[in-house]
Amino acid sequence: MKKEIEWEKLGFGFSDTNCHIRYVWKNGAWDAGELVKDPYITMHIGASCLHYGQECFEGLKVFCQKDGKIVAFRPDANGGRMVRTAIRTVMPPVPVEMFLDALKRVVDANREYVPPYGTGGSMYVRPLLIGTGPQIGVAPANEYTFLMMVMPVGAYYKGGLKPVRAVILDDWDRAAPHGMGDVKVGGNYAASLFAHEKAKHDGWPVELYLDAKEHKYVEEFSTSNFLGITKYGTYVTPDSHSVLPSVTNDSLRQVARDLGIPVEMRKIPYEEIREMAEVAALGTAVVVTPVWEITRGSEVIKISDPDTVGPTLQKLYDTVRGIQYGELPDTHGWCYEL
Ligand code: COI
């Protein structure tokens, strides 16, 4: 039985569901995990996640397909990225098999919260790994908690595929060249919050970051990766050590190659945006969000009309959504049945 939820009206917000799944790592091993109803967590006041930010997270989506199958989109890719982030933050990696098992168990216990096919919604899965052992000197904890919570969601930015405006605020950076920008830690998002609130207050839903060293090259948005379609129709996305390797971007590069669109992953000088035919933000939460205008100081770069979605972005969006909802063949084996 599906829940009485106005699926079509869902935005990207937190909502409680039946339970989450939680595992504890102690004395060198993960326990078997359990489904927990209570959305609160009790931890030691000295927990390393609270003091030294020893934490990381993931984001992936589960879809109800046309034929009624419930699938997760590339969960192994998110599991693999979480292993890399855990190593970088000196936490015990969650083996990918355990990550997939957690996913099956938590989705199974919350099936009625997966938005039905045709509503445009999906179930967002948020895995979280935190140092829960007390640590007052700067060092890794001796105890960790891994959990996965789920909730039904709709579009991240109001209006779905509706284009948004972005701003570059040169007074703030997201990630240093050899910092943690390439792994999914909360600190990267905390680093963006101040500028993000300022941008929102001044009328821009999202801010775009340039490289922290020279402010010369495009890096990524606060929430997601950067994609530009050149006037020659090439898919270009930044190659940088401080950009998160997005699963959505990786998937769309493959979709682009399948559609015969040339793909380049390289440095993108800021000035090149002026020449772009289409620009979008890419990520699990934002999917493909077109960007119609980018402001930096007194320069306003108009990429399209506020209501126009470029043809290449539309094709990429339709293809990836088609695969996720089981309307198009899943030729790369990305949909993982639950
Ligand atoms: C995601 O796209 O899943 C993220 O974690 C980004 C966040 C801004 C919602």
Side-chain angles (χ1 to χ4, degrees):
M1 263 290 281
K2 289 285 179 195
K3 285 274 163 191
E4 292 296 310
I5 293 174
E6 289 193 280
W7 305 105
E8 284 89 354
K9 291 197 182 152
L10 281 172
F12 193 87
F14 188 88
S15 57
D16 279 321
T17 51
N18 295 335
C19 57
H20 64 278
I21 190 158
R22 196 187 293 182
Y23 299 71
V24 173
W25 186 93
K26 238 191 244 180
N27 304 321
W30 287 107
D31 69 11
E34 58 171 346
L35 293 166
V36 182
K37 216 172 160 36
D38 186 359
Y40 289 88
I41 186 164
T42 303
M43 71 176 86
H44 196 284
I45 56 170
S48 69
C49 68
L50 300 177
H51 297 259
Y52 301 124
Q54 203 187 16
E55 74 86 54
C56 69
F57 71 97
E58 271 302 324
L60 61 144
K61 278 180 175 167
V62 167
F63 299 86
C64 179
Q65 295 193 322
K66 200 173 170 189
D67 62 2
K69 270 191 212 141
I70 304 288
V71 304
F73 188 70
R74 303 192 67 187
D76 50 330
N78 292 91
R81 188 170 67 182
M82 194 173 218
V83 167
R84 293 191 293 280
T85 309
I87 292 169
R88 176 70 174 83
T89 47
V90 200
M91 296 196 274
V94 171
V96 174
E97 310 79 69
M98 178 176 141
F99 187 95
L100 295 176
D101 187 52
L103 179 65
K104 274 191 202 137
R105 289 165 70 187
V106 74
V107 171
D108 212 38
N110 288 286
R111 276 191 180 251
E112 65 269 40
Y113 288 98
V114 180
Y117 173 74
T119 60
S122 56
M123 172 178 268
Y124 186 67
V125 181
R126 173 52 64 85
L128 181 70
L129 173 60
I130 51 179
T132 36
Q135 196 57 269
I136 210 66
V138 179
N142 55 11
E143 193 182 306
Y144 293 85
T145 298
F146 167 64
L147 58 86
M148 227 182 234
M149 62 188 96
V150 295
M151 67 211 74
V153 297
Y156 192 88
Y157 296 111
K158 272 195 210 115
L161 197 60
K162 196 170 162 4
V164 297
R165 303 165 73 214
V167 65
I168 295 170
L169 297 170
D170 279 290
D171 285 347
W172 297 281
D173 294 320
R174 174 185 171 271
H178 298 283
M180 304 252 261
D182 62 337
V183 290
K184 203 160 173 72
V185 294
N188 292 336
Y189 299 81
S192 76
L193 274 181
F194 189 86
H196 192 58
E197 286 306 292
K198 181 165 169 42
K200 266 203 314 205
H201 175 266
D202 295 343
W204 290 281
V206 68
E207 74 280 13
L208 175 63
Y209 290 90
L210 301 181
D211 75 285
K213 191 174 174 193
E214 299 180 277
H215 281 209
K216 228 169 138 176
Y217 300 101
V218 177
E219 291 247 296
E220 66 178 315
F221 296 98
S222 53
T223 53
S224 41
N225 274 189
F226 177 95
L227 159 66
I229 305 293
T230 68
K231 59 182 172 194
Y232 304 108
T234 301
Y235 180 124
V236 288
T237 193
D239 184 19
S240 160
H241 283 301
S242 40
V243 164
L244 186 74
S246 150
V247 175
T248 306
N249 194 347
D250 183 72
S251 311
L252 285 169
R253 287 198 300 277
Q254 186 58 54
V255 166
R257 286 186 207 104
D258 294 346
L259 293 169
I261 298 168
V263 173
E264 289 175 8
M265 217 173 156
R266 59 165 169 82
K267 283 187 181 301
I268 303 175
Y270 161 76
E271 291 74 23
E272 201 180 324
I273 301 177
R274 296 181 189 135
E275 306 294 316
M276 300 243 163
E278 301 173 50
V279 168
L282 304 180
T284 297
V286 305
V287 197
V288 176
T289 298
V291 175
W292 71 274
E293 184 192 270
I294 298 178
T295 298
R296 183 186 190 191
S298 57
E299 177 168 27
V300 179
I301 305 176
K302 190 165 176 283
I303 292 146
S304 71
D305 291 326
D307 294 317
T308 308
V309 178
T312 308
L313 294 181
Q314 187 73 55
K315 219 184 295 171
L316 292 170
Y317 178 86
D318 290 344
T319 308
V320 77
R321 294 305 261 182
I323 296 170
Q324 290 171 333
Y325 285 115
E327 296 156 351
L328 292 176
D330 178 20
T331 50
H332 300 286
W334 286 335
C335 297
Y336 179 83
E337 194 171 345
L338 297 166

PDB file of all heavy atoms in Angstrom, residues 14-20 62 103 106-107 109-110 113 123-126 148-152:
ATOM      1  N   PHE A  14      13.400  17.004   3.887  1.00  0.00           N
ATOM      2  CA  PHE A  14      13.458  15.845   4.780  1.00  0.00           C
ATOM      3  C   PHE A  14      12.049  15.430   5.183  1.00  0.00           C
ATOM      4  O   PHE A  14      11.197  16.266   5.442  1.00  0.00           O
ATOM      5  CB  PHE A  14      14.258  16.182   6.048  1.00  0.00           C
ATOM      6  CG  PHE A  14      14.506  14.966   6.883  1.00  0.00           C
ATOM      7  CD1 PHE A  14      15.623  14.185   6.658  1.00  0.00           C
ATOM      8  CD2 PHE A  14      13.571  14.544   7.829  1.00  0.00           C
ATOM      9  CE1 PHE A  14      15.828  13.025   7.378  1.00  0.00           C
ATOM     10  CE2 PHE A  14      13.772  13.380   8.554  1.00  0.00           C
ATOM     11  CZ  PHE A  14      14.902  12.623   8.325  1.00  0.00           C
ATOM     12  N   SER A  15      11.810  14.127   5.224  1.00  0.00           N
ATOM     13  CA  SER A  15      10.573  13.646   5.844  1.00  0.00           C
ATOM     14  C   SER A  15      10.872  12.319   6.529  1.00  0.00           C
ATOM     15  O   SER A  15      11.734  11.556   6.072  1.00  0.00           O
ATOM     16  CB  SER A  15       9.456  13.492   4.811  1.00  0.00           C
ATOM     17  OG  SER A  15       9.846  12.632   3.778  1.00  0.00           O
ATOM     18  N   ASP A  16      10.186  12.085   7.612  1.00  0.00           N
ATOM     19  CA  ASP A  16      10.388  10.827   8.355  1.00  0.00           C
ATOM     20  C   ASP A  16       9.719   9.685   7.627  1.00  0.00           C
ATOM     21  O   ASP A  16       8.661   9.844   7.025  1.00  0.00           O
ATOM     22  CB  ASP A  16       9.786  10.955   9.762  1.00  0.00           C
ATOM     23  CG  ASP A  16      10.726  11.686  10.706  1.00  0.00           C
ATOM     24  OD1 ASP A  16      11.950  11.459  10.619  1.00  0.00           O
ATOM     25  OD2 ASP A  16      10.243  12.488  11.520  1.00  0.00           O
ATOM     26  N   THR A  17      10.329   8.503   7.701  1.00  0.00           N
ATOM     27  CA  THR A  17       9.735   7.295   7.121  1.00  0.00           C
ATOM     28  C   THR A  17       9.670   6.237   8.232  1.00  0.00           C
ATOM     29  O   THR A  17       9.790   6.579   9.415  1.00  0.00           O
ATOM     30  CB  THR A  17      10.558   6.817   5.912  1.00  0.00           C
ATOM     31  OG1 THR A  17      11.933   6.739   6.298  1.00  0.00           O
ATOM     32  CG2 THR A  17      10.432   7.786   4.743  1.00  0.00           C
ATOM     33  N   ASN A  18       9.495   4.966   7.881  1.00  0.00           N
ATOM     34  CA  ASN A  18       9.342   3.939   8.916  1.00  0.00           C
ATOM     35  C   ASN A  18      10.595   3.790   9.782  1.00  0.00           C
ATOM     36  O   ASN A  18      10.504   3.619  10.992  1.00  0.00           O
ATOM     37  CB  ASN A  18       9.066   2.570   8.277  1.00  0.00           C
ATOM     38  CG  ASN A  18       7.739   2.556   7.550  1.00  0.00           C
ATOM     39  OD1 ASN A  18       6.845   3.335   7.883  1.00  0.00           O
ATOM     40  ND2 ASN A  18       7.604   1.689   6.555  1.00  0.00           N
ATOM     41  N   CYS A  19      11.747   3.806   9.142  1.00  0.00           N
ATOM     42  CA  CYS A  19      12.985   3.522   9.879  1.00  0.00           C
ATOM     43  C   CYS A  19      14.209   3.823   9.006  1.00  0.00           C
ATOM     44  O   CYS A  19      14.076   4.037   7.805  1.00  0.00           O
ATOM     45  CB  CYS A  19      13.026   2.048  10.273  1.00  0.00           C
ATOM     46  SG  CYS A  19      12.881   0.934   8.865  1.00  0.00           S
ATOM     47  N   HIS A  20      15.368   3.819   9.653  1.00  0.00           N
ATOM     48  CA  HIS A  20      16.638   3.824   8.909  1.00  0.00           C
ATOM     49  C   HIS A  20      17.400   2.573   9.334  1.00  0.00           C
ATOM     50  O   HIS A  20      16.960   1.856  10.242  1.00  0.00           O
ATOM     51  CB  HIS A  20      17.440   5.100   9.187  1.00  0.00           C
ATOM     52  CG  HIS A  20      17.904   5.262  10.606  1.00  0.00           C
ATOM     53  ND1 HIS A  20      17.085   5.762  11.608  1.00  0.00           N
ATOM     54  CD2 HIS A  20      19.090   4.982  11.209  1.00  0.00           C
ATOM     55  CE1 HIS A  20      17.768   5.796  12.746  1.00  0.00           C
ATOM     56  NE2 HIS A  20      18.980   5.320  12.533  1.00  0.00           N
ATOM     57  N   VAL A  62      16.346   5.910  -5.633  1.00  0.00           N
ATOM     58  CA  VAL A  62      15.629   4.667  -5.923  1.00  0.00           C
ATOM     59  C   VAL A  62      14.372   5.066  -6.692  1.00  0.00           C
ATOM     60  O   VAL A  62      13.712   6.053  -6.346  1.00  0.00           O
ATOM     61  CB  VAL A  62      15.280   3.949  -4.587  1.00  0.00           C
ATOM     62  CG1 VAL A  62      14.267   2.842  -4.803  1.00  0.00           C
ATOM     63  CG2 VAL A  62      16.556   3.419  -3.931  1.00  0.00           C
ATOM     64  N   LEU A 103      21.188  -1.078   1.745  1.00  0.00           N
ATOM     65  CA  LEU A 103      20.226  -0.461   0.826  1.00  0.00           C
ATOM     66  C   LEU A 103      18.999  -1.353   0.642  1.00  0.00           C
ATOM     67  O   LEU A 103      17.856  -0.885   0.735  1.00  0.00           O
ATOM     68  CB  LEU A 103      20.930  -0.200  -0.513  1.00  0.00           C
ATOM     69  CG  LEU A 103      20.098   0.413  -1.624  1.00  0.00           C
ATOM     70  CD1 LEU A 103      19.655   1.828  -1.255  1.00  0.00           C
ATOM     71  CD2 LEU A 103      20.892   0.460  -2.930  1.00  0.00           C
ATOM     72  N   VAL A 106      16.915  -1.410   3.967  1.00  0.00           N
ATOM     73  CA  VAL A 106      16.205  -0.169   4.349  1.00  0.00           C
ATOM     74  C   VAL A 106      15.113   0.168   3.331  1.00  0.00           C
ATOM     75  O   VAL A 106      14.036   0.654   3.706  1.00  0.00           O
ATOM     76  CB  VAL A 106      17.197   1.002   4.598  1.00  0.00           C
ATOM     77  CG1 VAL A 106      17.785   1.555   3.302  1.00  0.00           C
ATOM     78  CG2 VAL A 106      16.521   2.112   5.388  1.00  0.00           C
ATOM     79  N   VAL A 107      15.345  -0.127   2.055  1.00  0.00           N
ATOM     80  CA  VAL A 107      14.301   0.162   1.061  1.00  0.00           C
ATOM     81  C   VAL A 107      13.145  -0.807   1.260  1.00  0.00           C
ATOM     82  O   VAL A 107      11.970  -0.426   1.206  1.00  0.00           O
ATOM     83  CB  VAL A 107      14.860   0.114  -0.384  1.00  0.00           C
ATOM     84  CG1 VAL A 107      13.738   0.202  -1.419  1.00  0.00           C
ATOM     85  CG2 VAL A 107      15.853   1.257  -0.598  1.00  0.00           C
ATOM     86  N   ALA A 109      12.111  -2.073   3.968  1.00  0.00           N
ATOM     87  CA  ALA A 109      11.331  -1.681   5.142  1.00  0.00           C
ATOM     88  C   ALA A 109      10.560  -0.371   4.920  1.00  0.00           C
ATOM     89  O   ALA A 109       9.778   0.042   5.781  1.00  0.00           O
ATOM     90  CB  ALA A 109      12.271  -1.537   6.341  1.00  0.00           C
ATOM     91  N   ASN A 110      10.786   0.267   3.760  1.00  0.00           N
ATOM     92  CA  ASN A 110      10.129   1.568   3.502  1.00  0.00           C
ATOM     93  C   ASN A 110       9.525   1.628   2.107  1.00  0.00           C
ATOM     94  O   ASN A 110       9.409   2.703   1.525  1.00  0.00           O
ATOM     95  CB  ASN A 110      11.169   2.697   3.642  1.00  0.00           C
ATOM     96  CG  ASN A 110      11.580   2.929   5.084  1.00  0.00           C
ATOM     97  OD1 ASN A 110      10.823   3.496   5.870  1.00  0.00           O
ATOM     98  ND2 ASN A 110      12.772   2.476   5.430  1.00  0.00           N
ATOM     99  N   TYR A 113       7.103   4.204   0.682  1.00  0.00           N
ATOM    100  CA  TYR A 113       7.541   5.597   0.509  1.00  0.00           C
ATOM    101  C   TYR A 113       8.251   5.833  -0.827  1.00  0.00           C
ATOM    102  O   TYR A 113       8.766   6.923  -1.071  1.00  0.00           O
ATOM    103  CB  TYR A 113       8.468   6.007   1.657  1.00  0.00           C
ATOM    104  CG  TYR A 113       7.737   6.181   2.969  1.00  0.00           C
ATOM    105  CD1 TYR A 113       7.729   5.164   3.918  1.00  0.00           C
ATOM    106  CD2 TYR A 113       7.055   7.362   3.242  1.00  0.00           C
ATOM    107  CE1 TYR A 113       7.042   5.314   5.116  1.00  0.00           C
ATOM    108  CE2 TYR A 113       6.377   7.535   4.432  1.00  0.00           C
ATOM    109  CZ  TYR A 113       6.371   6.502   5.366  1.00  0.00           C
ATOM    110  OH  TYR A 113       5.703   6.660   6.546  1.00  0.00           O
ATOM    111  N   MET A 123      12.870   8.000  -4.468  1.00  0.00           N
ATOM    112  CA  MET A 123      13.251   7.890  -3.046  1.00  0.00           C
ATOM    113  C   MET A 123      14.724   8.276  -2.955  1.00  0.00           C
ATOM    114  O   MET A 123      15.558   7.703  -3.663  1.00  0.00           O
ATOM    115  CB  MET A 123      13.043   6.468  -2.539  1.00  0.00           C
ATOM    116  CG  MET A 123      13.605   6.257  -1.149  1.00  0.00           C
ATOM    117  SD  MET A 123      13.302   4.590  -0.560  1.00  0.00           S
ATOM    118  CE  MET A 123      11.760   4.828   0.296  1.00  0.00           C
ATOM    119  N   TYR A 124      15.014   9.266  -2.118  1.00  0.00           N
ATOM    120  CA  TYR A 124      16.406   9.687  -1.936  1.00  0.00           C
ATOM    121  C   TYR A 124      17.001   8.874  -0.794  1.00  0.00           C
ATOM    122  O   TYR A 124      16.381   8.715   0.263  1.00  0.00           O
ATOM    123  CB  TYR A 124      16.455  11.181  -1.601  1.00  0.00           C
ATOM    124  CG  TYR A 124      17.859  11.737  -1.534  1.00  0.00           C
ATOM    125  CD1 TYR A 124      18.652  11.815  -2.671  1.00  0.00           C
ATOM    126  CD2 TYR A 124      18.393  12.181  -0.330  1.00  0.00           C
ATOM    127  CE1 TYR A 124      19.942  12.333  -2.622  1.00  0.00           C
ATOM    128  CE2 TYR A 124      19.676  12.705  -0.268  1.00  0.00           C
ATOM    129  CZ  TYR A 124      20.449  12.777  -1.425  1.00  0.00           C
ATOM    130  OH  TYR A 124      21.720  13.293  -1.368  1.00  0.00           O
ATOM    131  N   VAL A 125      18.191   8.366  -1.017  1.00  0.00           N
ATOM    132  CA  VAL A 125      18.870   7.551  -0.003  1.00  0.00           C
ATOM    133  C   VAL A 125      20.095   8.325   0.458  1.00  0.00           C
ATOM    134  O   VAL A 125      20.911   8.756  -0.361  1.00  0.00           O
ATOM    135  CB  VAL A 125      19.307   6.188  -0.591  1.00  0.00           C
ATOM    136  CG1 VAL A 125      19.980   5.334   0.477  1.00  0.00           C
ATOM    137  CG2 VAL A 125      18.111   5.457  -1.204  1.00  0.00           C
ATOM    138  N   ARG A 126      20.195   8.526   1.742  1.00  0.00           N
ATOM    139  CA  ARG A 126      21.319   9.275   2.307  1.00  0.00           C
ATOM    140  C   ARG A 126      22.112   8.376   3.263  1.00  0.00           C
ATOM    141  O   ARG A 126      21.749   8.187   4.424  1.00  0.00           O
ATOM    142  CB  ARG A 126      20.773  10.501   3.036  1.00  0.00           C
ATOM    143  CG  ARG A 126      21.766  11.329   3.843  1.00  0.00           C
ATOM    144  CD  ARG A 126      22.990  11.762   3.083  1.00  0.00           C
ATOM    145  NE  ARG A 126      22.780  12.653   1.959  1.00  0.00           N
ATOM    146  CZ  ARG A 126      22.686  13.981   2.028  1.00  0.00           C
ATOM    147  NH1 ARG A 126      22.777  14.588   3.176  1.00  0.00           N
ATOM    148  NH2 ARG A 126      22.539  14.706   0.936  1.00  0.00           N
ATOM    149  N   MET A 148      21.880   4.533   6.995  1.00  0.00           N
ATOM    150  CA  MET A 148      21.278   4.897   5.717  1.00  0.00           C
ATOM    151  C   MET A 148      19.842   5.293   6.005  1.00  0.00           C
ATOM    152  O   MET A 148      19.092   4.511   6.594  1.00  0.00           O
ATOM    153  CB  MET A 148      21.276   3.661   4.815  1.00  0.00           C
ATOM    154  CG  MET A 148      21.760   3.894   3.438  1.00  0.00           C
ATOM    155  SD  MET A 148      21.669   2.382   2.462  1.00  0.00           S
ATOM    156  CE  MET A 148      23.329   2.262   1.881  1.00  0.00           C
ATOM    157  N   MET A 149      19.479   6.538   5.622  1.00  0.00           N
ATOM    158  CA  MET A 149      18.094   6.974   5.789  1.00  0.00           C
ATOM    159  C   MET A 149      17.491   7.164   4.396  1.00  0.00           C
ATOM    160  O   MET A 149      18.239   7.355   3.419  1.00  0.00           O
ATOM    161  CB  MET A 149      18.040   8.274   6.607  1.00  0.00           C
ATOM    162  CG  MET A 149      18.730   9.431   5.965  1.00  0.00           C
ATOM    163  SD  MET A 149      18.865  10.872   7.039  1.00  0.00           S
ATOM    164  CE  MET A 149      20.508  10.679   7.714  1.00  0.00           C
ATOM    165  N   VAL A 150      16.190   7.084   4.312  1.00  0.00           N
ATOM    166  CA  VAL A 150      15.519   7.207   3.009  1.00  0.00           C
ATOM    167  C   VAL A 150      14.330   8.158   3.145  1.00  0.00           C
ATOM    168  O   VAL A 150      13.760   8.282   4.230  1.00  0.00           O
ATOM    169  CB  VAL A 150      14.995   5.829   2.506  1.00  0.00           C
ATOM    170  CG1 VAL A 150      16.132   4.876   2.230  1.00  0.00           C
ATOM    171  CG2 VAL A 150      14.005   5.211   3.479  1.00  0.00           C
ATOM    172  N   MET A 151      13.987   8.815   2.038  1.00  0.00           N
ATOM    173  CA  MET A 151      12.789   9.676   2.053  1.00  0.00           C
ATOM    174  C   MET A 151      12.338   9.950   0.615  1.00  0.00           C
ATOM    175  O   MET A 151      13.184   9.991  -0.287  1.00  0.00           O
ATOM    176  CB  MET A 151      13.080  10.987   2.789  1.00  0.00           C
ATOM    177  CG  MET A 151      14.053  11.898   2.115  1.00  0.00           C
ATOM    178  SD  MET A 151      15.024  12.877   3.279  1.00  0.00           S
ATOM    179  CE  MET A 151      16.175  11.686   3.959  1.00  0.00           C
ATOM    180  N   PRO A 152      11.024  10.117   0.414  1.00  0.00           N
ATOM    181  CA  PRO A 152      10.557  10.444  -0.934  1.00  0.00           C
ATOM    182  C   PRO A 152      10.877  11.897  -1.266  1.00  0.00           C
ATOM    183  O   PRO A 152      10.724  12.771  -0.403  1.00  0.00           O
ATOM    184  CB  PRO A 152       9.037  10.230  -0.844  1.00  0.00           C
ATOM    185  CG  PRO A 152       8.708  10.391   0.601  1.00  0.00           C
ATOM    186  CD  PRO A 152       9.931  10.028   1.402  1.00  0.00           C
TER     187      PRO A 152
END
